[in-house]
Amino acid sequence: QQQVKQSPQSLIVQKGGIPIINCAYENTAFDYFPWYQQFPGKGPALLIAIRPDVSEKKEGRFTISFNKSAKQFSLHIMDSQPGDSATYFCAASGRNNFNKFYFGSGTKLNVKP
Amino acid sequence: DAGITQSPRHKVTETGTPVTLRCHQTENHRYMYWYRQDPGHGLRLIHYSYGVKDTDKGEVSDGYSVSRSKTEDFLLTLESATSSQTSVYFCAISTGTGDFLSGANVLTFGAGSRLTVL
């Protein structure tokens, strides 16, 4: 049973569009939610992360929105570019073991020129 | 990739043979992980280690064993490989401060090892 559920599985947008990737969790012990970006042939790399004491975090064109009551969080990419084409993973770790991370199933994003 | 080396990077083997994947780090981090990546499943934790000789199971540990006899090396062994273990395997280290409140725990991944079991 996947601890973090991610959707959609794939996403195609035009350059300049705003792709949105959604994740949901059930374990209320989770309290750290990073997003990872993976380019083909590479390992994932940390993109941005949020803790549930804030509802939004922005770094450049990437924004995480967090809804604690719904146990959902999402990644928005503003003004998307072809270079953003990659696979994105949400993840979660918890207070009881903050070094153990659970990942979503991934979203393959294709930004068309 | 932040001082993480995985070997081999590619391996083709036959069902029933033993396979060992090696992860080597140069930065003396305490936590090391093995994940497998499969389409539709994302990254799933196999085993992780929190120190020399200290390991614990992840979500998909059946059929895998690990060992960590030195801080810098974390080995993943498939005692008798099966076709369902065909996957890309990633080693990772936790490069955060370990401070729960700072939220600074970051997983840094190696480049991956692609294993095909025929």
Side-chain angles (χ1 to χ4, degrees), chain A residues 39-96:
Chain A
F39 294 105
K42 304 288 187 183
L46 180 68
L47 183 64
I48 186 173
I50 196 168
R51 301 190 73 92
D53 52 344
V54 297
S55 60
E56 184 177 281
K57 184 170 182 182
K58 188 178 291 189
E59 285 184 8
R61 295 183 294 105
F62 299 91
T63 300
I64 302 177
S65 298
F66 190 87
N67 185 330
K68 187 174 181 178
S69 60
K71 297 199 286 285
Q72 295 175 349
F73 58 109
S74 59
L75 177 70
H76 301 234
I77 305 175
M78 306 302 177
D79 187 28
S80 59
Q81 302 296 313
D84 297 329
S85 297
T87 299
Y88 293 82
F89 295 97
C90 59
S93 68
R95 190 175 286 267
N96 53 358

Side-chain angles (χ1 to χ4, degrees), chain B residues 20-85:
Chain B
T20 295
L21 305 180
R22 179 179 182 248
C23 180
H24 177 80
Q25 61 151 327
T26 59
E27 300 179 355
N28 207 36
H29 291 285
R30 182 179 170 199
Y31 281 82
M32 298 184 76
Y33 307 78
W34 277 107
Y35 283 88
R36 61 178 288 175
Q37 182 176 7
D38 304 287
H41 293 279
L43 292 156
R44 292 180 292 176
L45 181 64
I46 305 171
H47 283 278
Y48 69 105
S49 170
Y50 47 95
V52 173
K53 294 192 167 76
D54 291 324
T55 65
D56 202 356
K57 295 179 180 180
E59 306 162 81
V60 290
S61 59
D62 287 348
Y64 301 96
S65 62
V66 289
S67 65
R68 192 164 178 203
S69 57
K70 298 184 288 185
T71 299
E72 58 266 34
D73 289 325
F74 192 31
L75 304 181
L76 177 70
T77 298
L78 292 65
E79 300 289 348
S80 177
T82 67
S83 58
S84 65
Q85 294 176 311

Side-chain angles (χ1 to χ4, degrees), chain A residues 7-25:
Chain A
S7 63
Q9 191 171 355
S10 63
L11 194 51
I12 301 173
V13 299
Q14 292 294 131
K15 178 183 173 183
I18 305 176
I20 301 172
I21 304 170
N22 301 299
C23 286
Y25 64 98

